[in-house]
Amino acid sequence: MLRGIAAIVVAFNHAADLAGLPSFVSRSYLAVDFFFLLSGFVIAATFETRMSAMGVVRFLHARWFRLLPMIAMGVAISAAIYLGSGANPYLTAACAALALAFLPMSNGIFYMNNPMWSVHFELVANAAHTIFLRRISSAGLALVAIGCLTTIVFAHGWRDMDVGQGDRYLLGIPRVLMSYSLGILLWRVNAATARGPAWLAFILLPLAILIASQLGWADYIVVLLLNPIILLCGLGFDEDSSYRPIASFIGAWSFPLYALHWPVQDIALGSGQSWLAAFAWSIGVSLAVGLLLDRRVRAASLASSGLKLAFLRRRS
């Protein structure tokens, strides 16, 4: 469920950003750091004990197939936009091919679908998890997070964490590994036993981003302190049966929203609609796709890869 709330905040800010307007949640990129934290926690809980038997290639293959269908749909929409505006078809095809491989252009930008940068770095973290993070002790994971934090502060500064694209592309590696390692560490130390009130996570996630956006300097407080608290509180959604149906629905919808909102908003704004209308279109289209296509397409893609459908499971 929290993944869905974070995706809504990101989509809301991007609608204003694409329209060239200021947003009161300008630090919505901190929701991406929550994605990284949650991914580390969920992958550790679900796969860490099986990674040795699976191997790096098989595990990353499964992750790629899990994410590909919605990414491919977003890339197709963006390619149509570029070609419709008279872009070079060969350059458009090259950008699309790289995007389908979850790779940026040489300048560190995902022109086909800008939010793909975070999916790219999540796969980098998945690879790191399989290769060496799973072998590191809990104390070692803490040192990894501290080392990544130090790298970002010295290379970029302490006022924000908006790195991972363009000339700050390489800093995306310590950014993702910092939160992802903390997610693994939370799983190992907590073993999913500690719980906070679920309603607090629902309120605290957007509130933390809102406050950080207004203060302009609280990124590291959100990432290192508030995001872990939000995650531990959010575990309560799994235990409270009254939340389970809506939590499952919003969690399943979150990735279609994240993968499709940018190109859908681009079309809406290009047709002269307001940024709020563009935001509403991204909600509506991703809901329709999520309800009608996402799980079916992912199931078919994964089945064709010869891998078990268990890899489709993803927590909210």
Side-chain angles (χ1 to χ4, degrees), residues 42 47 72 82 111 122 124 134 174 194 212:
V42 171
F47 293 115
Y82 277 106
Y111 288 105
E122 186 173 337
V124 170
R134 66 184 176 88

Side-chain angles (χ1 to χ4, degrees), residues 59-69 99-102 123 126 302:
F59 176 70
L60 292 179
H61 190 231
R63 295 292 295 146
W64 182 72
F65 265 91
R66 159 65 181 90
L67 301 169
L68 181 62
L100 292 176
F102 296 80
L123 287 174
N126 292 157
L302 206 52

Side-chain angles (χ1 to χ4, degrees), residues 34-304:
F34 180 78
F35 291 152
F36 294 153
L37 179 79
L38 183 60
S39 181
F41 185 94
V42 171
I43 296 299
T46 309
F47 293 115
E48 191 168 74
T49 59
R50 291 187 280 158
M51 283 180 176
S52 178
M54 292 170 61
V56 178
V57 173
R58 186 165 179 253
F59 176 70
L60 292 179
H61 190 231
R63 295 292 295 146
W64 182 72
F65 265 91
R66 159 65 181 90
L67 301 169
L68 181 62
M70 289 300 102
I71 291 296
M73 188 171 294
V75 168
I77 296 172
S78 292
I81 295 172
Y82 277 106
L83 292 173
S85 63
N88 184 306
Y90 298 106
L91 183 58
T92 300
C95 288
L98 284 171
L100 292 176
F102 296 80
L103 295 173
M105 295 294 285
S106 59
N107 59 358
I109 300 293
F110 284 90
Y111 288 105
M112 284 289 112
N113 194 348
N114 184 265
M116 277 190 64
W117 74 269
S118 65
V119 182
H120 163 74
F121 280 112
E122 186 173 337
L123 287 174
V124 170
N126 292 157
H129 195 169
T130 313
I131 295 169
F132 68 92
L133 290 179
R134 66 184 176 88
R135 308 174 191 272
I136 296 177
S137 66
S138 295
L141 286 172
L143 289 176
V144 169
I146 292 170
C148 292
L149 169 65
T150 304
T151 301
I152 297 172
V153 170
F154 274 93
H156 179 68
W158 60 271
R159 294 194 65 87
D160 71 76
M161 287 185 59
D162 191 11
V163 297
Q165 301 183 78
D167 58 0
R168 294 169 288 183
Y169 166 78
L170 289 177
L171 287 175
I173 297 173
R175 179 179 177 183
V176 64
L177 290 180
M178 180 172 66
S179 289
Y180 192 94
S181 297
L182 286 176
I184 301 172
L185 183 61
L186 278 177
W187 164 252
R188 291 187 187 173
V189 173
N190 176 63
T193 55
R195 295 287 191 276
W199 61 266
L200 182 59
F202 185 84
I203 295 172
L204 191 54
L205 179 56
L207 184 62
I209 294 171
L210 174 62
I211 292 174
S213 299
Q214 303 310 308
L215 292 177
W217 52 263
D219 288 19
Y220 293 98
I221 295 175
V222 172
V223 171
L224 297 173
L225 178 62
L226 295 182
N227 277 354
I229 292 173
I230 292 166
L231 174 57
L232 292 177
C233 290
L235 295 176
F237 285 121
D238 288 339
E239 290 193 337
D240 191 331
S241 60
S242 62
Y243 289 115
R244 197 163 295 142
I246 185 65
S248 177
F249 174 80
I250 294 177
W253 167 53
S254 63
F255 192 67
L257 174 60
Y258 192 76
L260 297 177
H261 75 272
W262 184 277
V264 170
Q265 290 174 2
D266 199 10
I267 290 176
L269 291 168
S271 65
Q273 299 188 47
S274 70
W275 72 274
L276 280 175
F279 172 65
W281 270 108
S282 66
I283 295 291
V285 170
S286 62
L287 272 172
V289 170
L291 286 171
L292 299 176
L293 297 176
D294 184 39
R295 285 194 64 85
R296 292 182 177 88
V297 173
R298 285 191 286 116
S301 297
L302 206 52
S304 68

